[in-house]
Amino acid sequence: MAELSRLEDPKAREVNEKHGDDHGVNLSKLRALAKRLKTQQDLAYRLWETDDTAARLLAMLICRPKAFQRDELDVMVREARTPKVHDWLVNYVVKKNPHAEDLRLTWFTDPDPAVASAGWALTTERVAKKPEGLDLAGLLDIIEAEMKDAPKRLQWAMNHCLAQIGIEHAEHRTRAIGIGERLEVLKDYPTSPGCTSPFAPIWITEMVRRQHG
């Protein structure tokens, strides 16, 4: 914790806080620290328990994703206060855990929108890598009905799923683009030069173009 404190950069904190993340540690330096520590599951648990954002991010980098029990991960996703901790927990840990599918189903309809967004993130992963058994048309029905008014983090996760369905599944592409055009979610999102807009119709069209380019 003392070492993390020494890595604190006020300018980095100022930037991060604009995105809802209350830490000021450069992520490259955090990764370098994790590389030096290597995998330490017990330390990861202790870092998580501090409730410090930088410490929790470090925990995600040095833990053993498959070592967590299902209920531990359920508690952790509900404790993940900041977007970056939530994102790393889902992407670096839960997706690699044997309980991921069970948690996907549990979280998908959770009344807490942050928890539900984790369920959608895991669903998006399946849309891309293991779509067998998913009701893609049904997912589009939910997105069409609920995405427009969903809380921000959940809306973002649903939008990613919408784009992924359109990118990966040609038979649903026209409908996915149409939903995006009608709902206009993230249509005006500021996009840096060289980056792809998160607006689903543009995102889908660009990724498909690259696949067939």
Side-chain angles (χ1 to χ4, degrees):
M1 292 304 293
E3 188 161 357
L4 286 172
S5 181
R6 288 194 295 272
L7 292 174
E8 175 78 17
D9 178 350
K11 290 183 179 179
R13 176 175 285 272
E14 185 179 347
V15 172
N16 289 331
E17 285 184 344
K18 291 178 181 177
H19 302 287
D21 292 309
D22 56 351
H23 76 94
V25 179
N26 177 283
L27 295 183
S28 295
K29 293 180 179 178
L30 192 74
R31 292 180 189 279
L33 175 57
K35 189 174 182 180
R36 196 183 83 224
L37 290 170
K38 298 186 171 62
T39 302
Q40 297 191 49
Q41 184 70 4
D42 288 343
L43 178 57
Y45 276 123
R46 292 171 67 191
L47 288 168
W48 183 270
E49 289 167 0
T50 66
D51 194 28
D52 177 83
T53 292
R56 285 185 164 183
L57 292 174
L58 182 59
M60 299 299 93
L61 296 175
I62 66 169
C63 73
R64 284 197 303 274
K66 294 180 181 178
F68 291 99
Q69 298 300 311
R70 178 205 178 281
D71 290 347
E72 287 179 319
L73 292 174
D74 185 60
V75 170
M76 289 168 74
V77 83
R78 297 173 194 281
E79 292 177 341
R81 297 177 295 99
T82 65
K84 184 67 73 176
V85 170
H86 182 276
D87 183 54
W88 281 23
L89 176 61
V90 173
N91 286 293
Y92 294 176
V93 182
V94 180
K95 285 182 179 179
K96 300 175 182 177
N97 185 275
H99 300 289
E101 178 61 13
D102 182 20
L103 290 169
R104 181 186 78 83
L105 295 169
T106 299
W107 293 342
F108 189 79
T109 56
D110 196 276
D112 183 331
V115 176
S117 74
W120 277 90
L122 295 173
T123 300
T124 300
E125 177 89 347
R126 274 204 56 189
V127 167
K129 297 182 177 179
K130 193 179 178 183
E132 297 80 10
L134 285 180
D135 178 5
L136 298 179
L139 288 173
L140 291 175
D141 289 342
I142 297 171
I143 292 167
E144 190 167 26
E146 300 178 13
M147 184 172 73
K148 182 80 171 178
D149 299 316
K152 186 175 179 182
R153 200 183 302 183
L154 177 56
Q155 184 185 68
W156 192 274
M158 295 173 85
N159 183 71
H160 189 181
C161 189
L162 172 66
Q164 204 69 54
I165 291 172
I167 292 164
E168 301 289 344
H169 302 279
E171 68 276 21
H172 296 287
R173 188 168 299 146
T174 299
R175 185 183 176 201
I177 290 173
I179 290 171
E181 288 173 341
R182 284 192 300 280
L183 299 185
E184 298 187 337
V185 168
L186 300 175
K187 183 177 182 179
D188 299 320
Y189 191 84
T191 305
S192 302
C195 295
T196 302
S197 169
F199 179 47
I202 295 175
W203 189 355
I204 294 167
T205 302
E206 174 61 18
M207 297 309 294
V208 171
R209 184 191 68 77
R210 292 183 193 179
Q211 289 175 357
H212 297 283

